[in-house]
Amino acid sequence: MGVQEIQGIGVGNLLLISGIHGNEYTPVVALYDVFSDSKLIKQLKQIYNKITFIHAANEYGIKNNIREYDGNRDLNRIFQLDLLKDTITYHISEADYIIDIHSSPNCTEFVLINDGEEAKSMVEYCWRLNIPYAVWDGSPNTIKSYSLREGKVAFTVECNGIGTVDVDSAKKTHKLISKMVLNPYNKKYYSDVQDLIVTKLETVCANVEGILLWNDKNTYTIISIKDGSILYYGTVPDNSFIITRNKDAYVTKDSYIYQYQKRIT
C-alpha cells in the first residue's frame, strides 16, 4: 500500500483509494492515471487543502490475484480490525471527501450511492454532472458506509474488470473521477431536493433464446441461430444509465441482458 499526499491551497481534504479488493486491477490503474495527470493535480491544488492517494491498499490480494486480504478476509468488510484499519481510518478522519474505487465484471463506469438520507441529493449531484449512478442498500461495514457515519462525503466509483486491467475502462474512470473532484459534492447545495424519486437498480432479461448483438449503447437485437432472423429488438429506457451489460454471444430465455438505473421526477 502506497500513500501519497499533495498539499493544496484550497478548502477541505480529498481522499482517493484503490485496490481494496486485490483482484480489482483497473481501479489501481485508474487512480495512478489520476495521480499522474499534472494538469488535473494543478487544478485540485486550488480546490483542496490536501489530496491523499492510497494506492493498491490490499497488497496481499493484488500479488495473489484474489479479492480478500490476508487469505480469507474481505478488507472492505473488516478493514477496522488491524494495521490497515489504523492507516485507512486515520486518512478517513483527516478527509472531507472520499472516493473508493472498485471494479466488477462486465461493468460500465458509474457511481454507487448508499440508499440513505443523502441519496436523493447525491443522485441529483450525479444527474447534474451527467454521471451514471446506482443506488443500493449497501453493507454497513464498507469503507464508504463507515465514512458516511463519520459525517464525511463518500462515494464508490465502479469500473470494469476482475483479475485483469481494462485499459479503456481505466481511462473512462479517470475522466469520471476528474469530473467529480473538480466539482465536489456540497450537501447544502443539494439539500433542497424534494421531488426526486430514486429508483433502484433494474434488471432486464431475455424473453427469447438466440445470439445477442448490441447495435449501439442503447439498442440490442437477439437473432435466431436457425435462420438469422431477428427474434427481439430491445431499447434501453429513456433517461437511464446502463450499469452492467451482458456481453455473452448467446443468451437463453431469462438470461440477464442489462441492468440500469433510472431517475423519475
Side-chain angles (χ1 to χ4, degrees):
M1 175 171 59
V3 179
Q4 293 170 301
E5 295 182 344
I6 298 174
Q7 197 64 41
I9 59 173
V11 178
N13 297 331
L14 171 65
L15 173 62
L16 300 161
I17 307 171
S18 75
I20 289 293
H21 291 143
N23 60 350
E24 298 177 6
Y25 294 112
T26 304
V28 176
V29 174
L31 186 56
Y32 178 77
D33 288 347
V34 171
F35 177 77
S36 303
D37 187 339
S38 57
K39 181 179 178 181
L40 174 63
I41 295 300
K42 183 177 180 180
Q43 292 174 291
L44 296 184
K45 289 165 88 173
Q46 301 297 313
I47 298 173
Y48 301 97
N49 173 65
K50 182 173 67 173
I51 308 104
T52 301
F53 295 81
I54 297 181
H55 298 277
N58 181 358
E59 289 187 18
Y60 178 93
I62 289 170
K63 291 178 180 178
N64 292 279
N65 192 19
I66 59 173
R67 175 184 174 93
E68 292 77 14
Y69 162 73
D70 195 21
N72 59 4
R73 297 186 295 167
D74 187 333
L75 186 55
N76 204 28
R77 300 296 183 272
I78 53 83
F79 77 96
Q80 300 97 322
L81 297 182
D82 52 28
L83 179 61
L84 284 178
K85 170 249 180 166
D86 296 334
T87 301
I88 295 172
T89 55
Y90 167 74
H91 288 292
I92 288 174
S93 70
E94 292 283 297
D96 299 288
Y97 311 96
I98 298 157
I99 298 177
D100 185 19
I101 315 168
H102 289 266
S103 60
S104 300
N106 298 326
C107 189
T108 56
E109 299 72 35
F110 68 96
V111 171
L112 191 59
I113 298 169
N114 278 20
D115 187 11
E117 61 181 29
E118 284 194 60
K120 288 185 177 181
S121 57
M122 286 182 167
V123 165
E124 183 68 16
Y125 165 75
C126 290
W127 191 262
R128 293 187 189 184
L129 291 180
N130 195 30
I131 294 175
Y133 63 88
V135 180
W136 78 315
D137 293 335
S139 166
N141 300 319
T142 64
I143 287 173
K144 177 175 60 178
S145 295
Y146 171 81
S147 301
L148 290 169
R149 288 196 300 274
E150 292 295 305
K152 312 296 183 177
V153 174
F155 294 97
T156 300
V157 168
E158 288 281 348
C159 52
N160 185 57
I162 292 294
T164 186
V165 176
D166 185 327
V167 176
D168 182 60
S169 184
K171 291 178 180 178
K172 292 177 180 177
T173 304
H174 174 192
K175 291 181 180 179
L176 187 155
I177 291 173
S178 298
K179 186 182 291 188
M180 293 180 70
V181 295
L182 289 173
N183 300 276
Y185 170 81
N186 186 321
K187 181 178 179 179
K188 293 180 180 179
Y189 181 73
Y190 297 101
S191 61
D192 61 344
V193 177
Q194 301 293 334
D195 61 345
L196 187 66
I197 299 175
V198 179
T199 65
K200 295 296 184 67
L201 201 62
E202 302 288 344
T203 301
V204 174
C205 296
N207 56 8
V208 294
E209 182 174 344
I211 296 173
L212 173 62
L213 173 65
W214 282 96
N215 307 312
D216 52 44
K217 65 179 182 179
N218 291 316
T219 64
Y220 65 94
T221 53
I222 300 177
I223 301 171
S224 170
I225 62 172
K226 294 181 179 180
D227 57 15
S229 61
I230 296 177
L231 301 176
Y232 187 81
Y233 178 85
T235 302
V236 177
D238 292 337
N239 298 322
S240 299
F241 295 115
I242 287 186
I243 302 302
T244 64
R245 70 176 77 223
N246 192 340
K247 295 183 179 180
D248 294 340
Y250 190 79
V251 293
T252 58
K253 189 175 182 181
D254 296 327
S255 296
Y256 113 90
I257 302 296
Y258 64 93
Q259 293 177 306
Y260 72 96
Q261 183 81 42
K262 185 175 182 179
R263 190 189 84 156
I264 302 174
T265 56

